[in-house]
Amino acid sequence: MNKPKVLITRQLLPEALDQVSEFADMEVWPDTYPPSPEELRTLLKDKHGVLTTIMDRIDASAMDSAPNLKVVSQLGVGVDHIDVDEATKRRILVGNTPGVLAKATADIAFALLMSAARRVSEGDHWVHDKQWELAFHPLHWLGVDVHSTTLGIVGLGETGLEMVKRAQGFDMKVIYYSRTRKPDLEAKYSIEFVDFKDLLQTADFVSLHVAYTPETHFLIGEPEFKLMKPTSILVNAARGPVVDPKALYDALNQNIIYAAGLDVTYPEPISPDDPLLDLKNVVITPHMGSSAISTRRNTMYMAVENMAAGLEGRKLVACVNPSLYQDLGI
Ligand code: NAP
């Protein structure tokens, strides 16, 4: 019997590809850069499944070229690059990978928080630039404390919750704002729900963990920065366009806030001419929140399993449009 055909849009770990070969004939895009939209359309023509990364835009036009497509399996949690409504109309299942990468993402978010507060990255650059001439001065390299401060989490999903746990190890008070209030988590972790404006005004650290949607586009802009404390630090490990980049630059440059730690930017990659790169009070990592080896391996296994399930007419481990199950008789 012929195996279904799948496209894997980037090289994966060999052990993950071995798993795919057990149930599908696969084509693996060999380049480091993603296929162009036109190349993607051509590659999808005869495919029943596609395993994507955030750089592969799966919109109506991509789906038009893929009449056999049954499943889109995203390597990651965020699916803002996939037109899920359009996929649902076409009875295409969309899978993603919650549950395996939130801890790693929170590790990076917390590392950024600490680095921005205690000037770790700035100090490291300075030492590497061979500028360390005076061993110690009581007034040099002063940052702001992390312990015993207030962390404000915006978007209490999986990563936000992992931030709560990390913050509690640092004796931080945690307040949160999310689309839906979570009384069970409030009781379990002694955290407090506040409205968005209160959070911005009160928190020493504002850490963003919302999904990127039309409602969260530029959630943090000039008015929001103006509400934040001048000593506060913004952390964004969600998606770049949750923050207005011009307002972010002004807030950091004019010391409206103290610093920022970013794992995501808008656009990505950040332009080499972006003025943000000239500021010392911002730490930027290149969207590497979930890039830890065992996390990435588990994420690949989950995306492969989602793909297999979608092709074989089983429920996915995690499905973004489960309303389709009934339609598909799963
Ligand atoms: P998640 O468990 O799906 O949580 C997302 C949260 O966003 C949900 O809890 C939801 O709130 C909240 N939310 C959505 N719209 C909102 C709105 N309009 N206002 C307030 N809250 C809103 O996802 P996650 O694993 O925590 O990841 C969060 C996001 O981070 C992902 O969507 C992805 O874009 C990004 N991410 C980045 C990396 C990286 O490498 N930097 C890695 C993983 C994920 P409710 O639950 O209250 O409805």
Side-chain angles (χ1 to χ4, degrees):
M1 204 178 81
N2 283 345
K3 287 179 179 172
K5 293 185 192 325
V6 302
L7 172 68
I8 314 286
T9 64
R10 222 71 88 251
Q11 280 293 348
L12 303 180
L13 290 168
E15 52 269 41
L17 292 178
D18 285 348
Q19 288 190 346
V20 179
S21 67
E22 285 172 19
F23 62 82
D25 283 333
M26 64 182 155
E27 184 167 1
V28 182
W29 178 252
D31 291 358
T32 309
Y33 282 82
S36 67
E38 203 182 325
E39 285 166 328
L40 187 61
R41 280 195 293 276
T42 306
L43 288 162
L44 285 175
K45 272 199 169 92
D46 59 345
K47 300 299 186 295
H48 301 92
V50 57
L51 192 150
T52 54
T53 78
I54 51 160
M55 294 185 74
D56 309 307
R57 183 150 291 283
I58 306 293
D59 53 14
S61 147
M63 291 181 229
D64 280 345
S65 68
N68 302 326
L69 200 60
K70 293 170 81 172
V71 55
V72 177
S73 175
Q74 164 60 9
L75 183 78
V77 174
V79 289
D80 38 282
H81 57 297
I82 300 170
D83 190 335
V84 177
D85 290 342
E86 196 59 45
T88 307
K89 271 189 225 152
R90 296 165 192 241
R91 295 157 62 96
I92 298 169
L93 290 166
V94 179
N96 70 342
T97 62
V100 288
L101 49 76
K103 287 178 195 288
T105 306
D107 288 344
I108 282 287
F110 213 83
L112 287 166
L113 179 158
M114 293 191 67
S115 182
R118 299 301 311 278
R119 305 172 66 183
V120 177
S121 175
E122 190 189 348
D124 174 66
H125 281 122
W126 192 75
V127 175
H128 273 101
D129 285 347
K130 305 187 178 158
Q131 296 190 60
W132 190 13
E133 287 167 0
L134 176 67
F136 177 82
H137 190 290
L139 294 178
H140 288 184
W141 290 105
L142 297 176
V144 294
D145 275 319
V146 173
H147 68 86
S148 316
T149 58
T150 298
L151 171 63
I153 291 175
V154 182
L156 191 63
E158 287 193 352
T159 312
L161 183 59
E162 290 301 324
M163 287 299 278
V164 172
K165 297 183 199 167
R166 280 150 189 74
Q168 290 183 334
F170 285 75
D171 297 328
M172 295 168 95
K173 177 182 173 185
V174 181
I175 56 178
Y176 81 99
Y177 166 76
S178 205
R179 195 173 38 185
T180 34
R181 195 170 163 175
K182 294 164 181 167
D184 49 334
L185 296 180
E186 287 170 31
K188 184 167 179 189
Y189 292 100
S190 307
I191 58 179
E192 191 189 327
F193 179 84
V194 293
D195 77 27
F196 187 41
K197 196 172 158 196
D198 282 351
L199 183 141
L200 295 172
Q201 286 173 326
T202 320
D204 298 299
F205 297 89
V206 174
S207 197
L208 306 176
H209 301 287
V210 289
Y212 178 55
T213 64
E215 292 78 49
T216 60
H217 178 79
F218 287 6
L219 184 67
I220 305 284
E222 190 186 339
E224 289 73 27
F225 282 118
K226 286 198 168 138
L227 290 173
M228 290 170 67
K229 297 182 190 180
T231 49
S232 69
I233 289 177
L234 179 77
V235 175
N236 187 7
R239 283 286 184 267
V242 175
V243 180
D244 175 348
K246 164 86 171 65
L248 173 65
Y249 174 78
D250 289 344
L252 290 168
N253 189 41
Q254 295 164 23
N255 300 117
I256 293 166
I257 64 168
Y258 179 77
L262 314 172
D263 186 46
V264 289
T265 61
Y266 184 54
E268 281 182 19
I270 193 166
S271 157
D273 305 325
D274 195 308
L276 212 53
L277 298 178
D278 298 323
L279 297 180
K280 288 200 163 64
N281 57 346
V282 58
V283 188
I284 309 177
T285 50
H287 202 142
M288 59 191 215
S290 62
S291 305
I293 184 69
S294 58
T295 292
R296 186 55 49 77
R297 184 179 294 112
N298 290 335
T299 309
M300 287 179 186
Y301 287 160
M302 188 165 170
V304 169
E305 171 50 25
N306 277 338
M307 171 84 89
L311 294 173
E312 291 163 11
R314 293 183 282 114
K315 281 192 174 159
L316 278 53
V317 191
C319 183
V320 180
N321 52 356
S323 60
L324 267 186
Y325 285 153
Q326 204 178 354
D327 263 20
L328 295 170
I330 296 177

